[in-house]
Amino acid sequence: MNDQLIIGYDAKRIVSNGTGLGSYGRTLVNDIARCTGSADSALQLRLYTPDEGKESLRQMVSQSENIVFSARKQRFPNKKTTFSAVENALWRTHGIIKDLQRDGVRLYHGLSGELPVGIRKSGIKSVVTIHDLIFLRHPEYYHWVDTKIYAWKFRQTLREADHIIAISECTKRDIMAYGHIDEGRISVIYQSFAPRFSVECRTENLESANSKRYMLSVGSIEARKNILLAVKALPYLPEDICLVIVGRHTKYTDQVIDYAKTHNLNHRVQILHGVTDEELPALYAGAEAFVYPSRYEGFGIPIIEAISMGLPVVACTDSCLEEAGGPDSLYVDPDDEQAMAQAIRQSLKGAEGREQRITRSRAYIRRFEGQDVASQVIRLYHDLLAK
């Protein structure tokens, strides 16, 4: 249709990442499609990917008529069906602009902190979501080569972007500090969470949840996430309380395992890899509390998921986690295992004030619900196109 308003998206992470940036992109696109399905049928969301990615992740995207996938290889039906990683990276950085112009895209949204070089000169409006600048604030968690590459992409993206979405006030402050740009170019629009995480889902999943008492942590098991703090807190907690850790295996995982064995805690620590989206709500449902002792985050979506599932949260200070969890979650120093243990005790079933804090926290996270977030993004699109 000639009168369609076509919005393009960098959808590489949508079809390749099961969590993190992939989850953000899928949730946002699905929410926008629901928000505009009847009220704005002339809006088309076109998802640009270097390849078709994982079918299981593509299936998580709504089958709405106003969502269209555009894989790079579909442009070359008579050539080889796959491109090298270098070819795909060059396409995302440079070549995609020709595809956007060919398709009549009016605005392009970089969902994972990147924009193609030259998009400003092309006349296509652009928005970029920046999730965090941990590679600048805490470069010790990255290989030095990666920090150089990420820093170049960040500065290049700032030069191209008409507007920037920061997923938290914490990230906005970092963008201003490291990017030296006017705050008028930045809007804080929080990340929403998938609808499968809710108190109603908790009730449905209780039967399949493990019967033992445990606290839960979800996220990549890496040094920055600091899950060892929760392991160190176990000796100060009731003997029947265990820690279930869900996340990708890294070298830091081995450190956690070795510490648990050395301190005779391995029977109280369970590490799960490869947990599916369908299985995760049941793990939330069976937990008594959620722990997220990360040293630094751009936002911390697992905290929102946990609160939505009716769990009290214990997290750490000095990043955006207070912003995500609100005033009724509990926060401790990232190096104080005794304070962590005390906060967990206050979050176990039967603890004084626990249920009241859960209720207030659930009210707090309503600001992160999908339709509200989507409507803010859509308004931003229209405001930019009207300029």
Side-chain angles (χ1 to χ4, degrees):
M1 293 175 58
N2 294 330
D3 59 345
Q4 275 194 323
L5 172 58
I6 302 175
I7 309 295
Y9 294 87
D10 175 8
K12 175 189 174 182
R13 306 293 181 182
I14 284 179
V15 300
S16 62
N17 290 41
T19 58
L21 298 179
S23 179
Y24 169 79
R26 288 187 296 273
T27 302
L28 179 60
V29 166
N30 287 340
D31 289 342
I32 290 175
R34 279 193 292 270
C35 196
T36 61
S38 58
D40 199 350
S41 59
L43 184 69
Q44 182 187 105
L45 314 180
R46 185 169 284 268
L47 312 186
Y48 289 87
T49 64
D51 52 48
E52 293 185 350
K54 299 175 183 177
E55 179 63 22
S56 60
L57 298 180
R58 289 172 64 91
Q59 291 300 317
M60 293 182 190
V61 177
S62 168
Q63 300 301 306
S64 172
E65 292 183 359
N66 64 339
I67 295 180
V68 177
F69 274 100
S70 183
R72 182 192 180 202
K73 75 173 189 177
Q74 293 172 345
R75 299 291 191 190
F76 304 92
N78 298 321
K79 296 186 179 181
K80 60 183 180 180
T81 57
T82 59
F83 296 91
S84 70
V86 172
E87 288 176 313
N88 282 335
L90 287 173
W91 174 74
R92 288 181 70 226
T93 306
H94 297 277
I96 192 174
I97 292 177
K98 292 182 179 179
D99 288 352
L100 302 179
Q101 291 172 325
R102 183 187 300 115
D103 293 334
V105 170
R106 295 275 308 284
L107 182 147
Y108 183 74
H109 189 162
L111 296 171
S112 54
E114 298 180 46
L115 288 173
V117 175
I119 193 163
R120 178 177 283 271
K121 290 183 179 179
S122 74
I124 298 171
K125 295 287 187 178
S126 64
V127 176
V128 63
T129 297
I130 294 181
H131 299 261
D132 63 69
L133 295 180
I134 300 171
F135 56 90
L136 291 175
R137 184 168 284 279
H138 289 286
E140 66 271 20
Y141 295 123
Y142 297 83
H143 191 284
W144 71 270
V145 173
D146 290 335
T147 62
K148 297 294 184 184
I149 294 172
Y150 297 155
W152 178 86
K153 287 185 176 181
F154 167 62
R155 294 187 175 93
Q156 176 62 36
T157 292
L158 293 189
R159 286 191 288 269
E160 297 288 350
D162 288 301
H163 203 80
I164 299 159
I165 293 175
I167 64 168
S168 67
E169 292 287 350
C170 179
T171 295
K172 177 182 176 179
R173 290 192 296 270
D174 282 351
I175 294 169
M176 293 174 63
Y178 290 101
H180 308 292
I181 67 170
D182 186 88
E183 66 176 323
R185 289 180 61 198
I186 309 172
S187 295
V188 174
I189 301 180
Y190 290 110
Q191 182 173 354
S192 60
F193 57 92
R196 66 179 179 276
F197 299 106
S198 67
V199 169
E200 291 73 20
C201 292
R202 177 180 174 85
T203 302
E204 294 170 4
N205 281 280
L206 275 173
E207 290 185 6
S208 59
N210 199 316
S211 59
K212 69 180 180 182
R213 298 184 70 194
Y214 66 91
M215 52 185 173
L216 178 68
S217 184
V218 177
S220 295
I221 309 169
E222 56 188 82
R224 175 174 57 85
K225 300 289 188 179
N226 195 33
I227 192 59
L228 191 57
L229 181 70
V231 177
K232 291 179 178 180
L234 284 171
Y236 305 102
L237 295 169
E239 179 66 27
D240 63 336
I241 293 293
C242 299
L243 172 63
V244 175
I245 306 168
V246 177
R248 177 176 57 86
H249 187 101
T250 66
K251 291 182 180 180
Y252 179 74
T253 311
D254 297 326
Q255 295 180 37
V256 173
I257 293 171
D258 290 343
Y259 183 94
K261 287 180 179 178
T262 301
H263 292 81
N264 196 30
L265 294 169
N266 51 304
H267 64 293
R268 299 179 66 184
V269 178
Q270 183 178 8
I271 300 177
L272 303 177
H273 308 299
V275 174
T276 67
D277 286 333
E278 292 74 21
E279 295 167 333
L280 190 55
L283 288 170
Y284 276 111
E288 287 195 30
F290 186 80
V291 292
Y292 202 71
S294 179
R295 292 184 180 277
Y296 205 84
E297 295 289 331
F299 185 57
I301 195 65
I303 287 178
I304 311 302
E305 295 171 350
I307 292 173
S308 183
M309 289 287 288
L311 292 179
V313 168
V314 178
C316 285
T317 56
D318 298 330
S319 71
C320 71
L321 299 183
E322 293 104 325
E323 195 176 341
D328 291 289
S329 295
L330 302 179
Y331 307 94
V332 301
D333 185 281
D335 293 303
D336 192 339
E337 61 262 32
Q338 292 193 38
M340 170 63 74
Q342 181 180 2
I344 292 170
R345 281 182 176 274
Q346 293 176 256
S347 304
L348 298 178
K349 289 181 179 177
E352 183 178 358
R354 176 183 185 269
E355 300 306 318
Q356 291 84 353
R357 290 197 301 274
I358 291 173
T359 298
R360 291 193 295 268
S361 292
R362 291 194 66 229
Y364 174 82
I365 66 165
R366 286 176 188 152
R367 68 194 65 194
F368 309 126
E369 291 180 349
Q371 294 298 87
D372 184 56
V373 170
S375 64
Q376 292 178 64
V377 174
I378 293 167
R379 282 197 299 271
L380 176 59
Y381 291 166
H382 286 295
D383 288 346
L384 284 173
L385 289 169
K387 291 181 179 179

